[in-house]
Amino acid sequence: MAILSRVSMLVVIAAILLPSIAIATEFVVGDDQGWRPGFDYNAWAASKVFHVGDTLVFKYSVGEHNVYKVDGSSFQSCTVPTNSTPMTSGDDHVLLQSEGKKWYICGVAGHCSAGQRLVITVSPWPSPAPAPVAPAPWMMKNKNKRIFQRFFKHY
């Protein structure tokens, strides 16, 4: 008679629960090129999938650039919002907290029009696949019911 060990049962429980846990990704904008004019951020973003909970990291030389989160019309016109404070650390982390389009520009004169701007679409995390449901203990055959009861008697 094969009795499931505690370790085996924990492995089964973990296999059921772990697929539903999502891992956030940190994206360095522009990869090794960083945040600068003249880079094709549209092409960079096209090869990525952004989800709620991910983080964008804007890396650049302090004092040479900045980052503004803007709306779609400010993005199109490269207009710095008057009521907004720029990010200026050179290592700016932006947590993507909601789904939808997000727009970012550099507010230094001429940089946005030279391509230093980014638009992305943030997606929700995909719903996890439904976990297989184990039968309730009263629906199990006697042998399996005893194994189940022995295992959970200790917890």
Side-chain angles (χ1 to χ4, degrees), residues 22-24 27 45 48-54 96-102 120-127:
I23 305 296
F27 294 96
K48 315 265 185 292
V49 177
F50 303 96
H51 291 102
V52 171
D54 289 346
L96 303 174
Q97 297 179 338
S98 61
E99 58 189 90
K101 285 208 180 271
K102 310 294 179 200
I120 62 170
T121 301
V122 179
S123 302
W125 274 104
S127 298

Side-chain angles (χ1 to χ4, degrees), residues 4-59:
L4 290 175
S5 69
R6 287 183 187 163
V7 173
S8 298
M9 187 61 90
L10 291 175
V11 168
V12 169
I13 292 169
I16 292 169
L17 297 178
L18 287 180
S20 65
I21 298 173
I23 305 296
T25 303
E26 187 173 277
F27 294 96
V28 176
V29 175
D31 297 323
D32 61 342
Q33 298 293 308
W35 182 237
R36 64 177 182 79
F39 184 82
D40 188 351
Y41 292 101
N42 288 332
W44 176 83
S47 66
K48 315 265 185 292
V49 177
F50 303 96
H51 291 102
V52 171
D54 289 346
T55 301
L56 297 177
V57 181
F58 292 86
K59 292 189 173 283

Side-chain angles (χ1 to χ4, degrees), residues 101-114:
K101 285 208 180 271
K102 310 294 179 200
W103 301 271
Y104 303 92
I105 65 171
C106 180
V108 174
H111 289 200
C112 177
S113 57

